[in-house]
């Protein structure tokens, strides 16, 4: 979707540049759908092309045909995957060729300034289960910060295991006495400088998606004057960081702050911000999805970590691992070594069987479902709360799990539970992070089946020159 918006913006700039020579402006109309496709070579030795095929591609083509100049239409599945990061407008259902039922579609408008995380099942709310020790450990770190013994906490675990939910629960119970400064990293922002701190500042200053450029400038000027009185360069530096316009005099000032000079000044501003806030009340600085942090953000994070010795500041990093990516932890290693007695590690593992069953019961009432269905749902989710929610969501969307009165009922006893596209994406991204040799071995194991004999995999691996020895 970012690519589609970028294509539209580039074409608009092209039209503006060549408007005197174009008889009429050029335009794109784009359709986007998400799902499984068949990819491969099509043709013969004389003419071969690589292409993608399948119903997912056909639906995208129909959406493209329904869109008009400059419009980007997306399917329901794409909308659900992107609703946290993009703004959409709901459309009337589209009647298209090859589909008996009208398509539910949305128009993609633009990118949100402050992306959200999409989790949960709408009206379904579950209790927080199976994380007593982890919650107690994190609350202890917050309590220590309040009393002047600040800490650095890392919450680590696989995608969907409940890292953000744990922090949310702890914040709801213990967080009222803190100033929370939160920034998120995203896979799409790994090449953007200081991305989580940009997100953090926008939230802290109060810059929202609904505001125009002038409103955002005004909010930043008021913030700079209130929090940094007498420092004339604050607006210029932060406006540069937040990609907001500056006036001529401010542009001249920024010319003197290039490269290392800008970096030094920015680091000092963030340091001043944290210490001034910590003088008023304890500060909780949260960086989510730290595994996607850009290099400049890692350097800034390393710079501010020692501030726990100078103020009531707890720094909380949420990541999928304390090892990967290795360059992240190698960069932070020197500063973490100096404050290792202040580090709190909270490692989240999949929920135990009883906790998973309890979670299922809280969401849809496991007692109302056939026992074999409960077992299959728990087997598919493997103790991962997000996986469990997505399996349930898929069943609800396919009318296999329906609300009847005050309970949920499984309506198709012969239904085979499928892995939703959302989970396939998470699992594939996890596989993509593996080194090449283990990745090939996993692919071979997947061909055999979920349960297999080691010697069978060994035979296949040996025959293709990738022996299992040492893996």
């Amino acid at each position: 979707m970012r690519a589609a918006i970028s294509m539209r913006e580039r074409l608009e700039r092209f039209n503006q540049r060549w408007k005197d020579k174009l008889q009429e402006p050029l335009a794109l109309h784009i359709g986007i759908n998400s799902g499984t496709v068949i990819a491969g070579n099509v043709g013969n030795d004389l003419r071969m092309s690589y292409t993608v095929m399948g119903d997912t591609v056909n639906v995208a083509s129909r959406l493209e045909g329904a869109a008009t100049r400059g419009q980007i239409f997306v399917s329901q599945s794409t909308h659900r995957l992107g609703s946290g990061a993009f703004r959409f407008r709901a459309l009337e259902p589209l009647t298209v060729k090859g589909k008996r039922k009208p398509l539910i579609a949305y128009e993609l408008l633009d990118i949100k300034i402050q992306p959200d995380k999409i989790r949960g099942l709408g009206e379904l709310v579950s209790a927080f289960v199976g994380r007593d020790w982890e919650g107690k450990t994190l609350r202890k770190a917050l309590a220590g910060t309040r009393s002047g013994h600040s800490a650095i906490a890392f919450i680590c675990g696989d995608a969907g295991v409940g890292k953000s939910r744990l922090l949310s629960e702890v914040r709801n119970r213990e967080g009222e006495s803190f100033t929370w400064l939160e920034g998120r990293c995203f896979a799409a922002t790994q090449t953007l400088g200081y991305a989580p701190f940009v997100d953090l500042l926008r939230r802290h200053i109060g810059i929202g998606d609904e505001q125009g450029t002038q409103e955002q400038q005004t909010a930043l000027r008021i913030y700079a004057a209130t929090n940094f009185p007498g420092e004339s360069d604050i607006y210029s530096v932060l406006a540069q960081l937040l990609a907001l316009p500056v006036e001529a005099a401010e542009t001249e000032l920024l010319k003197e702050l290039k490269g290392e000079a800008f970096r030094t000044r920015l680091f000092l501003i963030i340091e001043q911000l944290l210490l001034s806030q910590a003088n008023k009340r304890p500060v909780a600085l949260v960086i989510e999805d730290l595994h996607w942090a850009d290099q400049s953000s890692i350097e800034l994070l390393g710079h501010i970590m020692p501030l726990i010795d100078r103020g009531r500041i707890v720094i909380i990093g949420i990541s999928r691992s304390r090892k990967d990516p290795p360059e992240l932890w190698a960069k932070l290693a020197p500063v973490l070594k100096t404050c290792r007695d202040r580090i709190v590690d909270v490692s989240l593992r999949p929920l135990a069987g009883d906790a998973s069953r309890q979670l299922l019961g809280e969401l849809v009432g496991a007692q109302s479902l056939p026992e074999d269905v409960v077992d299959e749902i728990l087997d598919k989710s493997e103790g991962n709360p997000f996986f469990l929610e997505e399996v349930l969501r898929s069943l609800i969307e396919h009318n296999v799990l329906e609300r009847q009165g005050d309970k949920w009922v499984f309506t198709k006893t012969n239904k085979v539970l499928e892995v939703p596209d959302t989970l396939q994406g998470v699992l594939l991204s996890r596989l993509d992070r593996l080194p090449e040799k283990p990745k090939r071995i996993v692919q071979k194991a997947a061909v055999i089946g979920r349960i297999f004999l080691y010697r069978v995999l060994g035979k296949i691996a040996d025959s293709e020159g990738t022996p299992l020895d040492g893996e």
Side-chain angles (χ1 to χ4, degrees):
M1 286 183 278
R2 290 178 183 273
I5 291 174
S6 180
M7 290 164 61
R8 183 171 63 185
E9 291 174 347
R10 290 289 295 272
L11 188 59
E12 288 173 357
R13 291 197 293 270
F14 178 88
N15 285 333
Q16 186 63 30
R17 180 180 178 184
W18 299 101
K19 61 181 179 181
D20 295 335
K21 296 186 178 182
L22 293 172
Q23 292 184 350
E24 63 175 290
L26 302 179
L28 292 170
H29 51 111
I30 300 173
I32 306 175
N33 187 25
S34 303
T36 303
V37 299
I38 301 170
N41 292 317
V42 175
N44 53 40
D45 292 340
L46 296 177
R47 185 173 182 179
M48 181 76 70
S49 62
Y50 186 86
T51 188
V52 291
M53 300 172 288
D55 186 63
T56 300
V57 180
N58 294 337
V59 170
S61 177
R62 299 291 181 258
L63 290 169
E64 176 197 358
T68 59
R69 293 175 61 92
Q71 288 187 312
I72 304 171
F73 283 5
V74 307
S75 66
Q76 186 178 26
S77 60
T78 303
H79 169 263
R80 185 160 72 81
L81 291 170
S83 58
F86 300 88
R87 292 198 310 116
F88 297 89
R89 178 176 67 87
L91 302 171
E92 292 293 327
L94 303 175
T95 301
V96 298
K97 181 181 178 181
K99 291 292 179 181
R100 287 182 296 176
K101 295 182 179 180
L103 286 179
I104 297 176
Y106 300 80
E107 181 181 1
L108 172 61
L109 301 177
D110 52 34
I111 302 171
K112 286 185 176 181
I113 294 176
Q114 296 179 4
D116 305 312
K117 279 200 169 184
I118 301 300
R119 277 292 306 274
L121 291 166
E123 75 280 4
L124 301 183
V125 180
S126 66
F128 189 58
V129 301
R131 304 299 188 198
D132 293 340
W133 179 87
E134 293 87 347
K136 183 178 179 180
T137 302
L138 201 52
R139 289 195 299 273
K140 185 177 178 180
L142 292 179
T145 300
R146 278 197 298 267
S147 62
H149 301 284
S150 301
I152 299 173
F154 292 111
I155 306 173
C156 298
D158 288 336
V161 80
K163 302 182 294 293
S164 297
R165 176 67 187 273
L166 170 65
L167 181 61
S168 176
E169 291 293 325
V170 171
R171 178 175 178 174
N172 288 340
R173 290 185 56 177
E174 307 288 340
E176 290 188 0
S177 58
F178 280 78
T179 295
W180 290 81
L181 302 175
E182 301 177 76
R184 292 192 180 116
C185 309
F186 293 88
T189 62
Q190 287 178 279
T191 58
L192 300 178
Y194 305 108
F197 289 94
V198 169
D199 183 40
L200 180 152
L201 286 168
R202 283 173 173 158
R203 295 171 186 274
H204 184 52
I205 295 168
I207 294 176
D209 292 308
E210 72 285 351
Q211 295 176 323
T213 301
Q214 190 169 357
E215 289 179 281
Q216 295 177 32
Q217 288 178 282
T218 301
L220 179 55
R221 289 192 185 280
I222 293 173
Y223 176 83
T226 303
N227 292 277
F228 300 89
E231 299 190 48
S232 59
D233 65 339
I234 298 297
Y235 175 83
S236 304
V237 174
L238 294 184
Q240 176 89 340
L241 183 68
L242 302 178
L244 292 175
V246 294
E247 296 178 355
E250 294 161 341
T251 301
E252 290 300 315
L253 187 152
L254 287 172
K255 288 181 180 179
E256 302 175 6
L257 287 174
K258 287 188 176 180
E260 188 63 27
F262 180 86
R263 176 184 180 277
T264 300
R265 185 59 179 134
L266 175 62
F267 281 26
L268 182 59
I269 289 172
I270 300 299
E271 181 180 314
Q272 287 179 261
L273 166 63
L274 291 172
L275 291 175
S276 64
Q277 293 292 324
N279 284 334
K280 301 172 187 176
R281 60 194 307 204
V283 170
L285 173 69
V286 180
I287 303 295
E288 286 206 53
D289 290 326
L290 191 56
H291 48 275
W292 284 327
D294 58 276
Q295 288 299 313
S296 54
S297 294
I298 295 170
E299 293 172 2
L300 177 50
L301 185 59
H303 175 81
I304 61 180
M305 278 181 170
L307 295 182
I308 63 173
D309 291 325
R310 298 169 56 187
R312 295 176 299 168
I313 302 170
V314 59
I315 298 175
I316 303 174
I318 301 179
S319 181
R320 290 183 182 171
S321 170
R322 274 280 259 131
K323 295 180 180 179
D324 295 321
E327 60 272 16
L328 162 67
W329 300 104
K331 199 87 172 180
L332 294 178
V335 66
L336 292 177
K337 187 176 181 180
T338 63
C339 49
R340 56 178 173 266
D341 58 330
R342 306 278 199 92
I343 296 175
V344 176
D345 279 310
V346 180
S347 179
L348 294 187
R349 302 187 181 280
L351 293 174
D354 290 344
S356 292
R357 188 173 290 269
Q358 181 184 350
L359 177 60
L360 179 61
E362 293 283 348
L363 287 168
V364 296
Q367 67 280 358
S368 65
L369 303 179
E371 189 61 27
D372 61 331
V373 173
V374 171
D375 290 340
E376 190 171 359
I377 291 174
L378 297 180
D379 183 57
K380 281 270 192 296
S381 59
E382 296 185 330
N384 187 300
F386 173 65
F387 287 12
L388 190 148
E389 290 173 1
E390 288 300 303
V391 169
L392 290 178
R393 188 200 299 271
S394 178
L395 294 176
I396 292 170
E397 288 179 349
H398 289 87
N399 299 317
V400 176
L401 193 61
E402 294 183 352
R403 187 83 151 190
Q404 295 184 4
D406 60 350
K407 65 179 182 179
W408 290 88
V409 177
F410 193 77
T411 60
K412 299 178 182 178
T413 56
N414 62 342
K415 173 70 176 178
V416 177
L417 302 189
E418 300 175 353
V419 178
D421 291 340
T422 47
L423 299 196
Q424 291 187 35
V426 171
L427 296 172
L428 288 174
S429 67
R430 186 186 299 178
L431 290 174
D432 286 341
R433 295 198 300 272
L434 292 174
E436 190 59 31
K437 186 177 178 180
K439 187 191 301 183
R440 290 201 304 271
I441 291 173
V442 169
Q443 290 170 340
K444 293 175 176 61
V447 173
I448 303 172
R450 184 173 180 182
I451 300 174
F452 53 84
L453 294 174
Y454 180 85
R455 66 174 183 272
V456 174
L457 178 60
K459 285 283 188 182
I460 296 175
D462 289 342
S463 68
E464 298 190 10
T466 54
L468 300 182
D469 295 341
E471 293 300 326

